[in-house]
Amino acid sequence: MKIAFIGLGAMGYPMARHLAKQHELRVWNRTRSVAERFAGEERCTLAASLDECADAAAIITIVPTSREVDEIVDEIAPRLREGTLWIDCTSGDPVTSRQTARRLGELGVELVDAPVTGGTPGAEAGSLTVMIGGSEGGFRRAEEICRAFGKKIIHVGEVGFGHAIKAASNTMLAANMWAAAECLLSLKKMGMDLKTAFEVINAGSGRSNASENLLPKRILDGEWPVTFKLGLLDKDVRIAASTAHAQHLSLPLLSLTSQLYTAAHHALGGEADYIEAVKYAARMSGEEW
Ligand code: NDP
């Protein structure tokens, strides 16, 4: 199938690699040298401009936010063909994606929101989980394509629900990570050995992805790799908090989590790794890990 892939970032690059092995792939990236490197490594064609992506049977976007997706839609819209499927793998905003879906629908193009989870290792391995919002037909078409990089592909309801569940899931991670960091900081200040603390927590009721996988490597081993930008997690939490607010719900923990990650973003910069937020959590008490 003729597929256009837009956004060869930390996630997009390895995802596109899987697609190139199965489809007639055309790639475009804002920084052209990245697309050229990709084209040097994989069987694909290089789009000279976004316009050259418009005649594909399916267009995949994975860029930072829904704003960039909309800018791309604006640019390509006049040349889109009826029947095209637009798969937006960005972790976007459900309200915007519904508006974009309506706009594309008027051109005969179906948009499904299809954010992914599993991080860069999942993208490399082709084992991502893909949560797809859209019609039953759109889901079926997208599922076949997303199989190239996804292991678990779930239809989560109408368009927008993919982005909504992705934001909610990352917000749960963010809140949990912050709570774990605060508890660990208190134990550390008391003088407890944190290796022992992790051993107990991970055998008991406080166990989580943060305590089992994310924090020990950073806090115990002192390794802080950049895998997912803090600016992007801040964006996800902001989406979840603003979606709740727009529904006139009183969800204070969501608001607080959003405030904390926005503060961490400002303090550490958006390019820092998301888990470095726990450094900021410690600095709020004048401490370091
Ligand atoms: P990166 O910052 O690594 O890549 C972003 C991509 O978007 C790059 O290709 C970049 O191009 C492109 N881009 C940025 N701005 C624009 C623009 N204005 N117009 C066109 N293209 C643009 O991000 P990730 O790959 O990490 O994340 C992409 C999406 O996936 C985000 O929504 C993120 O939340 C989500 N995600 C990320 C995960 C991760 O672990 N990293 C996991 C799951 C979801 P250029 O090369 O020019 O900068």
Side-chain angles (χ1 to χ4, degrees):
M1 189 189 295
K2 210 168 165 181
I3 296 176
F5 196 99
I6 299 171
L8 297 168
M11 293 296 286
Y13 202 101
M15 286 162 66
R17 223 189 257 139
H18 293 290
L19 286 160
K21 298 198 182 347
Q22 299 177 14
H23 296 279
E24 198 183 320
L25 199 69
R26 175 164 294 181
V27 295
W28 184 87
N29 192 69
R30 182 183 61 171
T31 305
R32 192 173 162 81
S33 58
V34 177
E36 283 169 351
R37 176 158 57 89
F38 185 90
E41 292 169 6
E42 304 294 333
R43 192 171 51 84
C44 69
T45 56
L46 203 56
S49 66
L50 273 173
D51 280 357
E52 288 189 6
C53 296
D55 67 343
I59 298 172
I60 300 179
T61 36
I62 177 157
V63 288
T65 73
S66 291
R67 194 180 53 221
E68 289 82 32
V69 176
D70 265 1
E71 286 168 6
I72 294 165
V73 170
D74 286 346
E75 199 160 333
I76 303 190
R79 281 165 197 81
L80 283 171
R81 293 192 322 185
E82 213 175 315
T84 299
L85 178 68
W86 194 303
I87 304 174
D88 182 24
C89 293
T90 306
S91 297
D93 168 16
V95 176
T96 309
S97 53
R98 284 180 177 167
Q99 287 164 354
T100 309
R102 268 195 296 277
R103 195 148 67 98
L104 286 172
E106 286 163 10
L107 303 171
V109 172
E110 178 164 10
L111 177 128
V112 295
D113 52 327
V116 297
T117 187
T120 48
E124 296 284 351
S127 62
L128 292 169
T129 295
V130 191
M131 51 214 97
I132 300 182
S135 71
E136 185 62 38
F139 168 71
R140 293 275 163 242
R141 289 171 72 197
E143 184 187 26
E144 198 189 321
I145 295 166
C146 294
R147 278 264 165 257
F149 51 78
K151 195 166 164 200
K152 193 170 182 122
I153 302 171
I154 307 170
H155 189 197
V156 293
E158 64 191 62
V159 71
F161 280 132
H163 286 155
I165 182 73
K166 172 69 194 181
S169 179
N170 269 9
T171 301
M172 289 163 72
L173 162 73
N176 181 272
M177 192 163 73
W178 200 285
E182 288 192 1
C183 291
L184 286 160
L185 190 68
S186 175
L187 294 169
K188 181 173 186 274
K189 190 73 178 167
M190 282 177 75
M192 185 162 183
D193 171 44
L194 287 187
K195 192 163 181 286
T196 309
F198 274 116
E199 196 181 338
V200 174
I201 290 164
N202 288 332
S205 51
R207 190 175 72 241
S208 68
N209 181 29
S211 71
E212 282 188 307
N213 304 315
L214 307 178
L215 295 179
K217 185 182 167 81
R218 275 82 180 177
I219 290 175
L220 298 181
D221 305 338
E223 290 173 27
W224 299 85
V226 179
T227 60
F228 173 43
K229 293 172 188 166
L230 176 57
L232 293 175
L233 181 61
D234 175 31
K235 170 261 306 176
D236 291 337
V237 181
R238 242 178 311 130
I239 290 170
S242 65
T243 305
H245 193 238
Q247 295 176 93
H248 201 209
L249 295 171
S250 173
L251 304 177
L253 190 56
L254 241 69
S255 303
L256 177 61
T257 307
S258 179
Q259 296 292 327
L260 291 170
Y261 277 85
T262 296
H265 179 165
H266 285 304
L268 302 168
E271 298 291 313
D273 187 62
Y274 71 118
I275 301 171
E276 289 189 51
V278 304
K279 288 186 180 172
Y280 180 73
R283 283 173 202 161
M284 284 174 77
S285 295
E287 300 289 329
E288 298 285 341
W289 290 109

